[in-house]
Amino acid sequence: VKLLTLARNLQRRKAREREGLFVAEGVRAVEELLRSGLVIHGALASPLLAESERGAALAAALSGRGVDGVTVSESEFASAAGTDSPQGILAIAEAPRRELAGLELGTQARLLLLDAIQDPGNVGTIVRTAAALGATATIALPGTVDLWNAKVVRSSMGALFTHPAISCGTDELESFVGRTGLVVWGADAGGETLGATPPPDRLAIALGNEGNGLSPFVAQLATRTVGVPIGPGIESLNVAVSAGIFLYELRL
Amino acid sequence: VKLLTLARNLQRRKAREREGLFVAEGVRAVEELLRSGLVIHGALASPLLAESERGAALAAALSGRGVDGVTVSESEFASAAGTDSPQGILAIAEAPRRELAGLELGTQARLLLLDAIQDPGNVGTIVRTAAALGATATIALPGTVDLWNAKVVRSSMGALFTHPAISCGTDELESFVGRTGLVVWGADAGGETLGATPPPDRLAIALGNEGNGLSPFVAQLATRTVGVPIGPGIESLNVAVSAGIFLYELRL
């Protein structure tokens, strides 16, 4: 039951950062976790898991990999699961230590900067999109939801386990930009039409907060603002949809 | 309290279809509803609404438009609200009667076909994206979540009130395709690379179910499958992100 307490504690960002651990919930996420090769610390199951064939196969795979597993009651499981429809399985794993200072860029690179994006579903979908469309890395700036939040993990569909998604502070980003010559363009519906200017070799697109747009720090860092032209009467695109269009248009 | 009962009943698709009514929940959705000019049947508020300035302004706007309004207790309100964090306001409005048979296409047109897409957040985001990127219409085929589901309404950010989003059966779609010469391309990650073939003037992109892809009916209707190339290890793009990339690439 130490795993149960640990899983409950890991619902808080502070505990995740202190322990260097995170929780992956649901059959799909735990399957992806197994595939990723990240170190799995332990797994918590409820009796529900064994009821589906896919769940039973997953339980066998975890045990085959020597993962320390505990079965708890439905209500105990629910107390540790952060999502609405837990499927009776969660795994605790070591978060990869990724630092911006260690990221090397090739001659050409495409990155995303998440500037205070708060919805975990949006952030997870952006990481999934970045991985699918071949982005070099996704950088989460202060004010953005924790990348290892269980809902981000879940909606990234496993992409977070392998795609270089990195949290960093503003000073770190400034040094990185200085070292690599990375050019930052801010996304803004009122910006220059995407496609009008040839992109530089090393480019990051900064995506702002769902309600407030770009922060003053990022607005000052950006050399240009670009946008996808949208029709009248519609305020904006969803931020994950925007990310997809930017990465598609700017693909290498 | 007749409005309270009505709002509760409208949580069910059958009741929405029988009454021709739907519910818009939350400050933002009700503001958009007022702007849209759709006929508002009544509004239900909880004491929470008046606590924010924006909420109080909305209450005043509703009453200024002569909307029949009732204030109920928090718990009564919660019993009628379908979303997780109700902001103390919902409005009941008449769903626009949209029929595929009445849809006229210009020389060039871009449509989306939703083929059994079940997540209401995805469908709402797709409608928002379609409106923003100038799609002609969005057609919901059988198996797709009801367009007037409260979560679809909410995540469409008001786009559903004005963008021609239409539910129809397979027979209706076949007649429409026959009458208009609409060409259907199916979206599939393994399809021809998007951009490789010049698009026809009147084109619909069919987006399949999140798990199962295109239905046999749509697969047979489609003259070609097209996809956005994605990197190894990632199964697919989110369906709303795909919709955005298709509409962007095929924009008129």
PDB file of all heavy atoms in Angstrom, chain B residues 145-168:
ATOM      1  N   VAL B 145     -21.483  11.849 -32.425  1.00  0.00           N
ATOM      2  CA  VAL B 145     -22.192  12.422 -31.284  1.00  0.00           C
ATOM      3  C   VAL B 145     -23.127  13.535 -31.783  1.00  0.00           C
ATOM      4  O   VAL B 145     -22.828  14.210 -32.775  1.00  0.00           O
ATOM      5  CB  VAL B 145     -21.170  12.968 -30.242  1.00  0.00           C
ATOM      6  CG1 VAL B 145     -20.333  14.101 -30.796  1.00  0.00           C
ATOM      7  CG2 VAL B 145     -21.856  13.411 -28.961  1.00  0.00           C
ATOM      8  N   ASP B 146     -24.266  13.693 -31.134  1.00  0.00           N
ATOM      9  CA  ASP B 146     -25.242  14.720 -31.515  1.00  0.00           C
ATOM     10  C   ASP B 146     -24.584  16.103 -31.503  1.00  0.00           C
ATOM     11  O   ASP B 146     -23.947  16.491 -30.527  1.00  0.00           O
ATOM     12  CB  ASP B 146     -26.406  14.695 -30.520  1.00  0.00           C
ATOM     13  CG  ASP B 146     -27.429  15.782 -30.802  1.00  0.00           C
ATOM     14  OD1 ASP B 146     -27.569  16.200 -31.978  1.00  0.00           O
ATOM     15  OD2 ASP B 146     -28.082  16.236 -29.839  1.00  0.00           O
ATOM     16  N   LEU B 147     -24.751  16.849 -32.591  1.00  0.00           N
ATOM     17  CA  LEU B 147     -24.143  18.185 -32.686  1.00  0.00           C
ATOM     18  C   LEU B 147     -24.646  19.125 -31.591  1.00  0.00           C
ATOM     19  O   LEU B 147     -23.961  20.082 -31.237  1.00  0.00           O
ATOM     20  CB  LEU B 147     -24.459  18.804 -34.055  1.00  0.00           C
ATOM     21  CG  LEU B 147     -23.788  18.128 -35.264  1.00  0.00           C
ATOM     22  CD1 LEU B 147     -24.341  18.703 -36.565  1.00  0.00           C
ATOM     23  CD2 LEU B 147     -22.278  18.326 -35.199  1.00  0.00           C
ATOM     24  N   TRP B 148     -25.834  18.864 -31.050  1.00  0.00           N
ATOM     25  CA  TRP B 148     -26.427  19.768 -30.057  1.00  0.00           C
ATOM     26  C   TRP B 148     -26.235  19.278 -28.624  1.00  0.00           C
ATOM     27  O   TRP B 148     -26.818  19.815 -27.689  1.00  0.00           O
ATOM     28  CB  TRP B 148     -27.891  20.062 -30.409  1.00  0.00           C
ATOM     29  CG  TRP B 148     -27.933  20.724 -31.752  1.00  0.00           C
ATOM     30  CD1 TRP B 148     -28.221  20.123 -32.951  1.00  0.00           C
ATOM     31  CD2 TRP B 148     -27.553  22.071 -32.060  1.00  0.00           C
ATOM     32  NE1 TRP B 148     -28.065  21.031 -33.976  1.00  0.00           N
ATOM     33  CE2 TRP B 148     -27.670  22.232 -33.461  1.00  0.00           C
ATOM     34  CE3 TRP B 148     -27.128  23.168 -31.289  1.00  0.00           C
ATOM     35  CZ2 TRP B 148     -27.380  23.437 -34.100  1.00  0.00           C
ATOM     36  CZ3 TRP B 148     -26.851  24.377 -31.933  1.00  0.00           C
ATOM     37  CH2 TRP B 148     -26.972  24.496 -33.315  1.00  0.00           C
ATOM     38  N   ASN B 149     -25.375  18.285 -28.456  1.00  0.00           N
ATOM     39  CA  ASN B 149     -24.905  17.861 -27.139  1.00  0.00           C
ATOM     40  C   ASN B 149     -24.242  19.071 -26.465  1.00  0.00           C
ATOM     41  O   ASN B 149     -23.523  19.836 -27.108  1.00  0.00           O
ATOM     42  CB  ASN B 149     -23.874  16.738 -27.395  1.00  0.00           C
ATOM     43  CG  ASN B 149     -23.093  16.325 -26.171  1.00  0.00           C
ATOM     44  OD1 ASN B 149     -22.390  17.134 -25.565  1.00  0.00           O
ATOM     45  ND2 ASN B 149     -23.185  15.066 -25.802  1.00  0.00           N
ATOM     46  N   ALA B 150     -24.496  19.264 -25.155  1.00  0.00           N
ATOM     47  CA  ALA B 150     -24.008  20.471 -24.475  1.00  0.00           C
ATOM     48  C   ALA B 150     -22.492  20.622 -24.539  1.00  0.00           C
ATOM     49  O   ALA B 150     -21.970  21.744 -24.597  1.00  0.00           O
ATOM     50  CB  ALA B 150     -24.480  20.480 -23.018  1.00  0.00           C
ATOM     51  N   LYS B 151     -21.751  19.514 -24.541  1.00  0.00           N
ATOM     52  CA  LYS B 151     -20.289  19.628 -24.600  1.00  0.00           C
ATOM     53  C   LYS B 151     -19.800  19.997 -25.997  1.00  0.00           C
ATOM     54  O   LYS B 151     -18.777  20.653 -26.150  1.00  0.00           O
ATOM     55  CB  LYS B 151     -19.629  18.307 -24.155  1.00  0.00           C
ATOM     56  CG  LYS B 151     -19.686  18.129 -22.648  1.00  0.00           C
ATOM     57  CD  LYS B 151     -18.943  16.884 -22.199  1.00  0.00           C
ATOM     58  CE  LYS B 151     -19.165  16.667 -20.709  1.00  0.00           C
ATOM     59  NZ  LYS B 151     -18.796  15.321 -20.280  1.00  0.00           N
ATOM     60  N   VAL B 152     -20.533  19.547 -27.015  1.00  0.00           N
ATOM     61  CA  VAL B 152     -20.198  19.972 -28.378  1.00  0.00           C
ATOM     62  C   VAL B 152     -20.448  21.471 -28.505  1.00  0.00           C
ATOM     63  O   VAL B 152     -19.594  22.228 -28.989  1.00  0.00           O
ATOM     64  CB  VAL B 152     -21.032  19.204 -29.431  1.00  0.00           C
ATOM     65  CG1 VAL B 152     -20.726  19.724 -30.830  1.00  0.00           C
ATOM     66  CG2 VAL B 152     -20.750  17.707 -29.363  1.00  0.00           C
ATOM     67  N   VAL B 153     -21.628  21.902 -28.027  1.00  0.00           N
ATOM     68  CA  VAL B 153     -21.990  23.323 -28.088  1.00  0.00           C
ATOM     69  C   VAL B 153     -20.890  24.143 -27.424  1.00  0.00           C
ATOM     70  O   VAL B 153     -20.383  25.116 -27.980  1.00  0.00           O
ATOM     71  CB  VAL B 153     -23.337  23.579 -27.386  1.00  0.00           C
ATOM     72  CG1 VAL B 153     -23.630  25.069 -27.288  1.00  0.00           C
ATOM     73  CG2 VAL B 153     -24.479  22.856 -28.121  1.00  0.00           C
ATOM     74  N   ARG B 154     -20.497  23.710 -26.228  1.00  0.00           N
ATOM     75  CA  ARG B 154     -19.529  24.472 -25.458  1.00  0.00           C
ATOM     76  C   ARG B 154     -18.161  24.523 -26.122  1.00  0.00           C
ATOM     77  O   ARG B 154     -17.539  25.572 -26.216  1.00  0.00           O
ATOM     78  CB  ARG B 154     -19.417  23.830 -24.073  1.00  0.00           C
ATOM     79  CG  ARG B 154     -18.728  24.715 -23.096  1.00  0.00           C
ATOM     80  CD  ARG B 154     -18.758  24.066 -21.729  1.00  0.00           C
ATOM     81  NE  ARG B 154     -17.854  24.809 -20.883  1.00  0.00           N
ATOM     82  CZ  ARG B 154     -18.157  25.235 -19.671  1.00  0.00           C
ATOM     83  NH1 ARG B 154     -19.327  24.967 -19.153  1.00  0.00           N
ATOM     84  NH2 ARG B 154     -17.288  25.921 -18.981  1.00  0.00           N
ATOM     85  N   SER B 155     -17.690  23.383 -26.627  1.00  0.00           N
ATOM     86  CA  SER B 155     -16.332  23.404 -27.176  1.00  0.00           C
ATOM     87  C   SER B 155     -16.297  23.988 -28.586  1.00  0.00           C
ATOM     88  O   SER B 155     -15.215  24.304 -29.081  1.00  0.00           O
ATOM     89  CB  SER B 155     -15.678  22.026 -27.106  1.00  0.00           C
ATOM     90  OG  SER B 155     -16.484  21.064 -27.707  1.00  0.00           O
ATOM     91  N   SER B 156     -17.454  24.195 -29.202  1.00  0.00           N
ATOM     92  CA  SER B 156     -17.451  24.864 -30.511  1.00  0.00           C
ATOM     93  C   SER B 156     -17.242  26.365 -30.349  1.00  0.00           C
ATOM     94  O   SER B 156     -17.019  27.075 -31.327  1.00  0.00           O
ATOM     95  CB  SER B 156     -18.748  24.605 -31.265  1.00  0.00           C
ATOM     96  OG  SER B 156     -19.741  25.552 -30.914  1.00  0.00           O
ATOM     97  N   MET B 157     -17.309  26.873 -29.126  1.00  0.00           N
ATOM     98  CA  MET B 157     -17.070  28.296 -28.846  1.00  0.00           C
ATOM     99  C   MET B 157     -17.977  29.201 -29.683  1.00  0.00           C
ATOM    100  O   MET B 157     -17.541  30.245 -30.180  1.00  0.00           O
ATOM    101  CB  MET B 157     -15.612  28.658 -29.145  1.00  0.00           C
ATOM    102  CG  MET B 157     -14.616  27.943 -28.260  1.00  0.00           C
ATOM    103  SD  MET B 157     -14.489  28.837 -26.684  1.00  0.00           S
ATOM    104  CE  MET B 157     -13.093  28.002 -25.937  1.00  0.00           C
ATOM    105  N   GLY B 158     -19.206  28.768 -29.856  1.00  0.00           N
ATOM    106  CA  GLY B 158     -20.171  29.603 -30.572  1.00  0.00           C
ATOM    107  C   GLY B 158     -20.234  29.322 -32.066  1.00  0.00           C
ATOM    108  O   GLY B 158     -21.171  29.758 -32.740  1.00  0.00           O
ATOM    109  N   ALA B 159     -19.259  28.600 -32.609  1.00  0.00           N
ATOM    110  CA  ALA B 159     -19.217  28.372 -34.062  1.00  0.00           C
ATOM    111  C   ALA B 159     -20.433  27.581 -34.543  1.00  0.00           C
ATOM    112  O   ALA B 159     -20.922  27.777 -35.650  1.00  0.00           O
ATOM    113  CB  ALA B 159     -17.932  27.647 -34.451  1.00  0.00           C
ATOM    114  N   LEU B 160     -20.942  26.710 -33.697  1.00  0.00           N
ATOM    115  CA  LEU B 160     -22.097  25.883 -34.049  1.00  0.00           C
ATOM    116  C   LEU B 160     -23.352  26.718 -34.328  1.00  0.00           C
ATOM    117  O   LEU B 160     -24.249  26.284 -35.041  1.00  0.00           O
ATOM    118  CB  LEU B 160     -22.362  24.939 -32.868  1.00  0.00           C
ATOM    119  CG  LEU B 160     -23.185  23.707 -33.070  1.00  0.00           C
ATOM    120  CD1 LEU B 160     -22.642  22.840 -34.184  1.00  0.00           C
ATOM    121  CD2 LEU B 160     -23.194  22.895 -31.767  1.00  0.00           C
ATOM    122  N   PHE B 161     -23.408  27.918 -33.761  1.00  0.00           N
ATOM    123  CA  PHE B 161     -24.599  28.757 -33.926  1.00  0.00           C
ATOM    124  C   PHE B 161     -24.684  29.343 -35.338  1.00  0.00           C
ATOM    125  O   PHE B 161     -25.764  29.714 -35.789  1.00  0.00           O
ATOM    126  CB  PHE B 161     -24.615  29.889 -32.895  1.00  0.00           C
ATOM    127  CG  PHE B 161     -24.489  29.402 -31.463  1.00  0.00           C
ATOM    128  CD1 PHE B 161     -23.867  30.186 -30.497  1.00  0.00           C
ATOM    129  CD2 PHE B 161     -24.992  28.167 -31.083  1.00  0.00           C
ATOM    130  CE1 PHE B 161     -23.744  29.743 -29.183  1.00  0.00           C
ATOM    131  CE2 PHE B 161     -24.878  27.721 -29.774  1.00  0.00           C
ATOM    132  CZ  PHE B 161     -24.248  28.511 -28.827  1.00  0.00           C
ATOM    133  N   THR B 162     -23.555  29.444 -36.020  1.00  0.00           N
ATOM    134  CA  THR B 162     -23.564  30.114 -37.321  1.00  0.00           C
ATOM    135  C   THR B 162     -23.020  29.233 -38.451  1.00  0.00           C
ATOM    136  O   THR B 162     -23.485  29.333 -39.582  1.00  0.00           O
ATOM    137  CB  THR B 162     -22.729  31.402 -37.258  1.00  0.00           C
ATOM    138  OG1 THR B 162     -21.448  31.085 -36.696  1.00  0.00           O
ATOM    139  CG2 THR B 162     -23.380  32.440 -36.359  1.00  0.00           C
ATOM    140  N   HIS B 163     -22.052  28.385 -38.157  1.00  0.00           N
ATOM    141  CA  HIS B 163     -21.476  27.524 -39.205  1.00  0.00           C
ATOM    142  C   HIS B 163     -22.483  26.433 -39.576  1.00  0.00           C
ATOM    143  O   HIS B 163     -23.085  25.818 -38.701  1.00  0.00           O
ATOM    144  CB  HIS B 163     -20.186  26.870 -38.677  1.00  0.00           C
ATOM    145  CG  HIS B 163     -19.592  25.855 -39.603  1.00  0.00           C
ATOM    146  ND1 HIS B 163     -18.967  26.192 -40.781  1.00  0.00           N
ATOM    147  CD2 HIS B 163     -19.550  24.503 -39.533  1.00  0.00           C
ATOM    148  CE1 HIS B 163     -18.562  25.085 -41.388  1.00  0.00           C
ATOM    149  NE2 HIS B 163     -18.897  24.048 -40.655  1.00  0.00           N
ATOM    150  N   PRO B 164     -22.679  26.156 -40.883  1.00  0.00           N
ATOM    151  CA  PRO B 164     -23.618  25.106 -41.276  1.00  0.00           C
ATOM    152  C   PRO B 164     -23.117  23.711 -40.904  1.00  0.00           C
ATOM    153  O   PRO B 164     -22.482  23.037 -41.691  1.00  0.00           O
ATOM    154  CB  PRO B 164     -23.723  25.258 -42.794  1.00  0.00           C
ATOM    155  CG  PRO B 164     -23.108  26.571 -43.127  1.00  0.00           C
ATOM    156  CD  PRO B 164     -22.125  26.855 -42.040  1.00  0.00           C
ATOM    157  N   ALA B 165     -23.421  23.309 -39.686  1.00  0.00           N
ATOM    158  CA  ALA B 165     -23.119  21.953 -39.222  1.00  0.00           C
ATOM    159  C   ALA B 165     -24.435  21.187 -39.265  1.00  0.00           C
ATOM    160  O   ALA B 165     -25.421  21.620 -38.685  1.00  0.00           O
ATOM    161  CB  ALA B 165     -22.550  21.987 -37.811  1.00  0.00           C
ATOM    162  N   ILE B 166     -24.454  20.081 -39.996  1.00  0.00           N
ATOM    163  CA  ILE B 166     -25.707  19.399 -40.347  1.00  0.00           C
ATOM    164  C   ILE B 166     -25.585  17.903 -40.090  1.00  0.00           C
ATOM    165  O   ILE B 166     -24.628  17.269 -40.543  1.00  0.00           O
ATOM    166  CB  ILE B 166     -26.018  19.603 -41.854  1.00  0.00           C
ATOM    167  CG1 ILE B 166     -26.010  21.100 -42.211  1.00  0.00           C
ATOM    168  CG2 ILE B 166     -27.319  18.937 -42.255  1.00  0.00           C
ATOM    169  CD1 ILE B 166     -26.072  21.372 -43.720  1.00  0.00           C
ATOM    170  N   SER B 167     -26.564  17.326 -39.387  1.00  0.00           N
ATOM    171  CA  SER B 167     -26.613  15.865 -39.247  1.00  0.00           C
ATOM    172  C   SER B 167     -27.387  15.279 -40.406  1.00  0.00           C
ATOM    173  O   SER B 167     -28.410  15.847 -40.802  1.00  0.00           O
ATOM    174  CB  SER B 167     -27.342  15.469 -37.957  1.00  0.00           C
ATOM    175  OG  SER B 167     -26.607  15.889 -36.847  1.00  0.00           O
ATOM    176  N   CYS B 168     -26.952  14.139 -40.909  1.00  0.00           N
ATOM    177  CA  CYS B 168     -27.747  13.501 -41.961  1.00  0.00           C
ATOM    178  C   CYS B 168     -27.511  12.010 -42.008  1.00  0.00           C
ATOM    179  O   CYS B 168     -26.549  11.499 -41.424  1.00  0.00           O
ATOM    180  CB  CYS B 168     -27.476  14.140 -43.316  1.00  0.00           C
ATOM    181  SG  CYS B 168     -25.995  13.559 -44.082  1.00  0.00           S
TER     182      CYS B 168
END
